[in-house]
Every structure is written in C-alpha cells, then in structure tokens.
Amino acid sequence: MLAVPLPRSASGLAGAAPGRRWRREAGRGRQGLVLGIYSSEKDEGAAQFTSAGDAFDRLVSGKLRELLSLCGPPLKKGKTRIFHGLHQDFPSVAVVGLGKKNAGVNDQENWNEGKENIRAAVAVGCRQIQDLEIPCVEVDPCGDAQAAAEGAVLGLHEYNELKQKKKPVVTPQLHGSAESEAWQKGVTYAEGQNLARYLMEAPANYITPIKFAEHIEQKLRSFSNVKVHIRPESWIATQEMGAFLSVAKGSAEPPIFLEIHYLGGANTNDSPLVFVGKGVTFDSGGISLKPSSGMDAMRADMGGAATVCSAIVTAAALNLPLNIIGLAPLCENMPSGKANKPGDVVRAKNGKTIQVDNTDAEGRLLLADALCYAHNFKPRAVVNAATLTGAMDVALGSAATGVFTNSSWLWTHLYEASVLTGDRVWRMPLFEHYTKQVTDCPLADLSNIGKYSRAGGACTAAAFLKEFVTASHWAHLDIAGVMSNKDEVPYLQKGMAGRPTRTLVEFAARLSQDSHNTK
Ligand code: BES
Ligand code: ZN
Ligand code: ZN
C-alpha cells in the first residue's frame, strides 16, 4: 500500500473534505478506477460488489470491503466514496452505488432501471476521477458494459471549446477484458449524443447553417457508403420550397438544405428510413420576436437536425445494415426588412398555401417542405425531430420526447428502443380535432398556428405537419421539452442534452433487423 487509505465521501456521507495535498498526490498516479456496488436487499444488509469489485477487493486482501464498512451505512444509489492508495496501479478508486442488484425494466417508468442506474453511477464516479485531474479512468462494466460506457462518455462530456481554461481530458476505458464489444458500442452511442450536444451548445455565430453542414460532412468523410449534399439557396428555390425560403430570407445568413445518404443496406435500392430534422440555427422569433430573456437557448433550435444527423453518423460508425437518408433544412429565423410578416401567405413545395400568422412558428414551415421532399425517396418510414413547440415542454417537461405518429408499427419500434436507452418517448394524439384548428384559415389552405392559440399547441403543430405527409409510416418527434438538461438526467451535465440521439440510433438498429416494408 502506498499511503494510508483515508476514505472520503463525495456525497458528504462520511470522511474528511479533500485537501489540496491529497488532490496533487492523487493526480500523480497513473489511473483511476470506478467500481460499482449494489445496495443490499435488506435495509441493514451488507452491500454487494460487482464481480470486478470483488476481484479488486481480493487483490487488496479485503481492504476495500473493510474500509467501506468503516465508512458507515452501505452506499445508496448514485452516491460515491473515493479511496486513495489502495493499489499502486489505481491510486484512486471511486466506489459508486448501483441500487438494487436485479433491477430490470420498470413498467411504471418505461425504462430499464438497471441500465439507468449504471449510467448514472458510472457518470458520477468518472467525474470524481476527473476532479482529481487523473487523465485515465478504468470503468467496471457493472454487468452491462454498454450502459457503463454510455455513463462514462456522456458523464464526462462538457462544451468548453471557447474557454481558455479547460477541464482535464479524461479517457474512460473498460476495466477487464470481457465485454469489450458492448463497451465499444456504448462509446459509439454516447459519442453520437455528444456530437448532437456539441452542435446544440455551440453559439449561433459559430454554428451557422453552412458551418453545421460542413461539420457533419467532415464527420462522415471517412465512410465510403455515405454521400453528403450541401444544397445552396438556389437549389432550395428550384425545389419550390417556398415555406422554408420565407423563413430563411429574414436572415443575412444563407440557408442550406443538408442531404445525407447512408447506404448500409444489403441493396442500395432498398427502401430507406428517412430522418428529417428542424435546423433553425437561431430562432429569434422573427417579427413575432421572442422575449429577450432566455433567447440565447434558441441557438439549440437546430436540435432536430443535430440529433438526426448525429444518429446517422453513429449508424455509419456502427455499420448498421440499412439505408438512411437524412434531410436538414438549415436557416436562421430573424427579424428584418425581408422577414415574413404576420399575415403573409407562402406556398409550400406540395402547392399548399400557408398563412404565417405568427413568425415564431417557423419550424413547421421548414419541415413542411422537407417532409414533401422526403417522399421522393419512397421511404419505408419517415421520422422527423424538431424543437417545435414550447407547449411540448409544458406537457411533458424533460421526461420524454412527444411522439405523434400515424403508425403503431413505428411507435412500437421507437418505444422499445427508448426503454433500452432510457431516453424515453411518449405517444401523443394526431386527432382530426387539431387538424380543423389549422385548416380553418381566412387567406390560405393552412394557418401556421392553431386558431385557439396556445391550447394543445404541440398537437396543433403536429396536425399542421401531417398535412404534408402521405407516407403511411411517419412519426414526428417534438423534442422541445428534452432540448436541455438542468439536473434531471443525472448522467448529463447542465446544458444542451442531445436527446434523443441514442433512441434514434437504437430505433434504426431495430429497423435494420425488421424485414417488414423494406422494398
Ligand atoms: N423553437 C420554438 C419552440 C421552443 C420553445 C423550443 C422552447 C424549445 C424551447 C418554436 O419555433 C416556437 O417558437 N414555437 C412557438 C409556436 C407558437 C408561436 C404557436 C411556441 O412554442 O411558442
Ligand atoms: Zn419559433
Ligand atoms: Zn423554433
């Protein structure tokens, strides 16, 4: 043993506060270790190590178990204790509470609780190691290496691109050699979500439409089965995307229509899954200007585009055996002499006319044209994602993405995917009731807001989009409520969340295994 192993608690449960000297000494070691521990079934029973925890405890002749019991009651879910100097290869060991041992799918919560517990615990443990400025951390797979990797990679992610003083980079690695494939899969899923988080968090003067497109193109450059088209404004005009263009023309920043073809399917002509994402790189509201407080968050109004494009980058990295097309109309929504004015009427690609009663309901205008275009590819399914309505946040908050779909087949796949990822979905209605509220319009075929203004705002927005869909398997994901994280998701730090990228990837993976409707 290198030093007297003083336990101390990050959760404030036991032990002394970290001293400066401790931090320096710990930082000098080679790597940190994160180990899981289950709570006992009975309240006062001894906690149970994972197999990696058991093995480590044997290696240090039972010292870890001894120290833990000296620290007080067994570790609760999500709580951690850190020990220094137990083993020369791992100068700092964070033990994290995993909750009860055989937690599986929780039918009330609609997620796999065991996986969620692992993600949360590993994320906390890794962050503790990062605080000690240790550059490398080995992570206990905790019986599910994919979930552990997701917790580690998501938990350590932070946007500090534009700060001079950055947090130390910590590279998480699997502890032990079993389950390395599952670990790598988890890393890939989490990196996908982190890409969406990066794009959403970045300021709007850094991620303009063209910069967004170039960033995604660069991520896809190495894949020979991917083609990226960065369509300029002239192309958008020839496509007669009048609704999209009407929003874009209010800004000095030119719009882009990003089109990605990922051909992973057995045949290049297999019917594709088409993803469509709202790509408003900044939403000021336009002439119907938003209040200035909190407006900065509207840099993430391209979250739909960010999550679907990141899901395709991830699908390519995983080499998923299906064809996916990604479409992202990208522009800013700004007030100017050229901007849409309330009451203006514009014409979408399918010929439908739209009265723009509120210029802040711009996302549906972009999506109307992109959804029309999506049908050119004879898709097996169309899935769009958009930070579409504040009303979605009012309805569900950040608990789940709202899904409006005309297909129970599609719903089942999305739902089952979300139970695994923990990034949940909840089905919402597409009633005719709401359609009537957008088709009753004085000057045009459709109004871009519901006639009862705020009531059921997420549903009237979905009903509006439905007017541009003829595909029999379509789902609209309103992700406004899950756009950012305060502290609700314990394995994501505060900031833009990149949700539900992992659910989209898992959904695509499931679709690739389902032969229904591929031709
Ligand atoms: N991008 C916003 C929706 C939004 C709000 C996303 C908060 C994320 C967080 C969208 O373009 C918008 O402003 N929608 C309006 C629609 C209304 C005018 C019918 C809204 O929700 O207020
Ligand atoms: Zn808006
Ligand atoms: Zn918007």
Side-chain angles (χ1 to χ4, degrees):
M1 206 173 299
L2 297 173
V4 185
L6 282 179
R8 76 180 156 74
S9 161
S11 55
L13 282 174
R20 277 243 171 96
R21 194 175 57 85
W22 254 119
R23 278 177 177 261
R24 274 201 312 275
E25 281 181 6
R28 237 182 258 150
R30 279 189 288 177
Q31 45 198 351
L33 177 62
V34 172
L35 292 174
I37 193 161
Y38 301 105
S39 350
S40 58
E41 296 297 319
K42 292 171 249 105
D43 263 3
E44 292 305 309
Q48 201 185 334
F49 279 122
T50 59
S51 48
D54 255 336
F56 184 79
D57 188 50
R58 281 197 301 277
L59 197 66
V60 297
S61 319
K63 282 275 177 337
L64 186 60
R65 189 176 295 279
E66 204 177 296
L67 284 167
L68 270 166
S69 63
L70 282 174
C71 290
L75 266 184
K76 292 223 163 63
K77 188 164 98 178
K79 300 294 180 190
T80 79
R81 282 197 189 119
I82 191 146
F83 301 97
H84 303 290
L86 272 174
H87 190 278
Q88 57 179 358
D89 289 345
F90 301 104
S92 299
V93 179
V95 181
V96 293
L98 291 168
K100 59 178 192 288
K101 188 163 183 193
N102 293 313
V105 174
N106 180 325
D107 287 328
Q108 292 294 309
E109 293 294 331
N110 292 11
W111 63 23
N112 185 310
E113 197 170 311
K115 290 181 190 294
E116 279 294 284
N117 290 349
I118 295 169
R119 290 182 190 108
V122 166
V124 174
C126 286
R127 268 184 234 140
Q128 277 214 297
I129 300 291
Q130 183 182 44
D131 284 348
L132 295 167
E133 301 185 6
I134 298 171
C136 235
V137 58
E138 289 202 4
V139 176
D140 176 355
C142 304
D144 188 329
Q146 184 180 347
E150 289 175 0
V153 176
L154 291 171
L156 288 167
H157 174 86
E158 219 174 315
Y159 182 88
N160 55 18
E161 191 90 352
L162 305 172
K163 286 186 178 168
Q164 287 192 302
K165 190 165 178 289
K166 301 187 201 301
K167 274 209 174 161
V169 177
V170 180
T171 315
Q173 270 162 357
L174 175 64
H175 182 62
S177 55
E179 292 193 70
S180 60
E181 210 173 295
W183 171 268
Q184 190 45 50
K185 192 172 164 196
V187 170
T188 307
Y189 272 57
E191 283 177 346
Q193 182 168 349
N194 287 349
L195 170 59
R197 290 164 91 184
Y198 171 89
L199 291 166
M200 291 169 75
E201 195 70 74
N205 62 332
Y206 279 73
I207 298 293
T208 58
I210 184 67
K211 284 280 166 16
F212 180 107
E214 286 170 354
H215 196 94
I216 291 294
E217 185 189 40
Q218 189 269 325
K219 291 280 172 194
L220 289 166
R221 201 162 283 164
S222 61
F223 300 102
S224 59
N225 55 356
V226 180
K227 188 122 194 63
V228 177
H229 305 273
I230 298 179
R231 314 286 198 191
E233 186 163 6
S234 53
W235 180 92
I236 302 167
T238 60
Q239 288 295 316
E240 302 185 309
M241 295 183 171
F244 174 27
L245 276 179
S246 80
V247 178
K249 71 183 165 54
S251 169
E253 204 63 61
I256 294 287
F257 191 94
L258 177 63
E259 182 173 329
I260 305 167
H261 292 236
Y262 165 64
L263 298 174
N267 300 301
T268 50
N269 56 355
D270 280 351
S271 183
L273 161 64
V274 178
F275 276 145
V276 181
K278 170 179 171 181
V280 176
T281 58
F282 188 72
D283 180 12
S284 70
I287 298 297
S288 313
L289 197 66
K290 286 182 181 295
S292 55
S293 158
M295 200 200 273
D296 68 292
M298 286 297 110
R299 68 185 184 279
D301 207 23
M302 28 55 82
T307 53
V308 302
C309 292
S310 301
I312 298 175
V313 170
T314 313
L318 294 165
N319 202 17
L320 292 185
L322 83 165
N323 297 333
I324 311 179
I325 288 174
L327 307 173
L330 295 152
C331 72
E332 290 182 343
N333 184 26
M334 296 293 278
S336 79
K338 288 187 175 169
N340 270 333
K341 300 169 290 296
D344 281 2
V345 174
V346 300
R347 189 181 302 273
K349 184 172 168 59
N350 66 351
K352 290 199 182 183
T353 54
I354 306 164
Q355 185 171 327
V356 184
D357 284 317
N358 189 318
T359 66
D360 196 11
E362 83 299 340
R364 62 198 80 181
L365 300 176
L366 276 63
L367 290 173
D369 283 332
L371 285 168
C372 293
Y373 184 67
H375 289 76
N376 289 348
F377 301 101
K378 300 195 171 37
R380 62 189 293 211
V382 179
V383 174
N384 74 257
T387 48
L388 205 63
T389 65
M392 193 67 241
D393 185 37
V394 173
L396 300 182
S398 59
T401 291
V403 176
F404 301 79
T405 179
N406 58 3
S407 161
S408 291
W409 169 75
L410 213 50
W411 164 249
T412 304
H413 278 301
L414 280 163
Y415 172 72
E416 287 176 356
S418 80
V419 172
L420 276 188
T421 61
D423 200 345
R424 295 178 292 199
V425 292
W426 186 258
R427 194 166 183 177
M428 299 286 290
L430 271 177
F431 300 142
E432 181 67 22
H433 175 95
Y434 301 111
T435 303
K436 284 192 212 140
Q437 295 177 26
V438 290
T439 50
D440 184 0
C441 171
L443 303 179
D445 299 327
L446 288 164
S447 164
N448 77 332
I449 54 172
K451 70 172 172 174
Y452 304 127
S453 147
R454 292 168 53 214
C459 308
T460 49
F464 177 95
L465 295 182
K466 188 167 170 265
E467 293 302 297
F468 300 89
V469 173
T470 55
S472 37
H473 301 289
W474 163 66
H476 153 54
L477 276 54
D478 193 332
I479 61 169
V482 301
M483 179 179 85
S484 61
N485 194 57
K486 292 177 280 298
D487 56 6
E488 311 91 307
V489 180
Y491 47 89
L492 302 178
Q493 309 201 46
K494 187 171 169 352
M496 298 308 168
R499 294 172 65 188
T501 304
R502 287 178 304 111
T503 298
L504 291 171
V505 174
E506 186 60 35
F507 161 76
R510 281 162 173 265
L511 222 61
S512 74
Q513 303 302 318
D514 182 338
S515 55
H516 173 78
N517 185 33
T518 44
K519 294 278 179 299

